[in-house]
Amino acid sequence: MTLLSHKIDSYLMRREEEKSGRVRSGKWSPSSFGKCYRAQYWNRMNEGKSNPLEPKVLRVFQVGNIIHQFIQEILKSEYQCEVLVKTDDVVGYADLVGSIEVADIKSVRSHRFKLMRDKKKKYDFAKEKIENILQLTFYGKTLGKEKGRLVFIDKDSIDIIEFVFDIKDFEGALQEELDVLNGFWNKDKLPPPCPR
């Protein structure tokens, strides 16, 4: 490991440790919708993570953060950025909010990007990216927007694929997610450990 690699890893690990001391809002996080119910429950309870992230993973996330900031800088004259969106039970930040839509920026590795772009296999965004869609549906519904826009960016080339959908088409799935989560929460019952 080079000196610079060591310094980068130390910096990222230190930042991650600082974040681990942060007290959560006590509400559901839209970025976790569609994931394991138990993990979402523990997140709301402010439980610490049992498996800390490795430096390699933190580097990948940092590249995503850099791309995210780059895109927001370009679009800040047309969109509001990092908009707080909350209800009694949910709180999160929408990446981009326009007059009729909310958008979320997702950076992906090249091999995943190629799968999304493969015309022969017709990538099913509504199925494969339901977690992201539920997140945007919450923001869109709460803010009274008509459309959701998922912006996928290739980390190697900054090529872009966009998936646009009607918020109303996924409101039922969002309500189902919230009903299940609040059902466990209101009964003070830990959900089963089922990956989704």
Side-chain angles (χ1 to χ4, degrees):
M1 178 181 282
T2 67
L3 175 64
L4 183 55
S5 293
H6 177 71
K7 286 192 173 293
I8 290 170
D9 288 350
S10 296
Y11 172 80
L12 293 173
M13 293 297 287
R14 191 169 53 253
R15 276 189 39 202
E16 189 66 14
E17 194 173 306
E18 289 167 2
K19 279 177 25 184
S20 70
R22 182 180 79 189
V23 177
R24 306 269 325 149
S25 67
K27 298 183 181 198
W28 303 119
S29 175
S31 61
S32 295
F33 288 163
K35 298 178 182 170
C36 169
Y37 292 127
R38 180 173 278 193
Q40 291 187 70
Y41 190 93
W42 278 338
N43 187 48
R44 184 171 182 178
M45 288 186 67
N46 202 43
E47 288 290 325
K49 292 183 180 176
S50 56
N51 297 323
L53 297 173
E54 302 274 330
K56 182 179 179 181
V57 174
L58 293 174
R59 285 176 180 223
V60 171
F61 287 169
Q62 185 61 31
V63 171
N65 292 337
I66 292 166
I67 291 171
H68 191 271
Q69 290 167 357
F70 173 67
I71 299 300
Q72 283 185 325
E73 180 65 27
I74 292 169
L75 296 176
K76 70 181 181 182
S77 65
E78 299 166 49
Y79 290 85
Q80 291 178 284
C81 299
E82 297 300 319
V83 176
L84 175 65
V85 184
K86 64 180 179 175
T87 62
D88 290 341
D89 290 320
V90 185
V91 65
Y93 289 87
D95 287 351
L96 300 165
V97 178
S99 58
I100 64 162
E101 72 175 12
V102 289
D104 202 44
I105 302 163
K106 302 290 183 192
S107 57
V108 295
R109 291 186 170 177
S110 289
H111 69 279
R112 172 68 62 188
F113 192 84
K114 286 175 188 166
L115 288 174
M116 292 177 176
R117 182 168 269 172
D118 189 340
K119 290 185 169 112
K120 294 177 189 169
K121 295 189 178 172
K122 186 107 172 92
Y123 193 82
D124 187 351
F125 286 93
K127 180 181 175 189
E128 300 293 332
K129 295 299 180 182
I130 190 63
E131 301 95 344
N132 305 137
I133 290 169
L134 290 174
Q135 177 183 6
L136 268 182
T137 299
F138 168 75
Y139 296 143
K141 182 178 179 189
T142 306
L143 296 171
K145 304 300 179 185
E146 297 173 23
K147 301 280 186 186
R149 180 182 302 269
L150 284 170
V151 181
F152 297 99
I153 302 172
D154 185 326
K155 287 184 178 180
D156 290 340
S157 64
I158 312 186
D159 282 343
I160 295 173
I161 296 172
E162 294 178 288
F163 174 68
V164 180
F165 62 93
D166 291 328
I167 294 294
K168 65 179 184 241
D169 290 347
F170 293 93
E171 286 180 355
L174 172 65
Q175 191 58 55
E176 186 178 320
E177 180 83 1
L178 290 170
D179 288 346
V180 170
L181 288 168
N182 286 325
F184 286 116
W185 188 260
N186 293 335
K187 291 176 187 169
D188 198 22
K189 181 180 175 187
L190 186 65
C194 298
R196 296 171 66 199

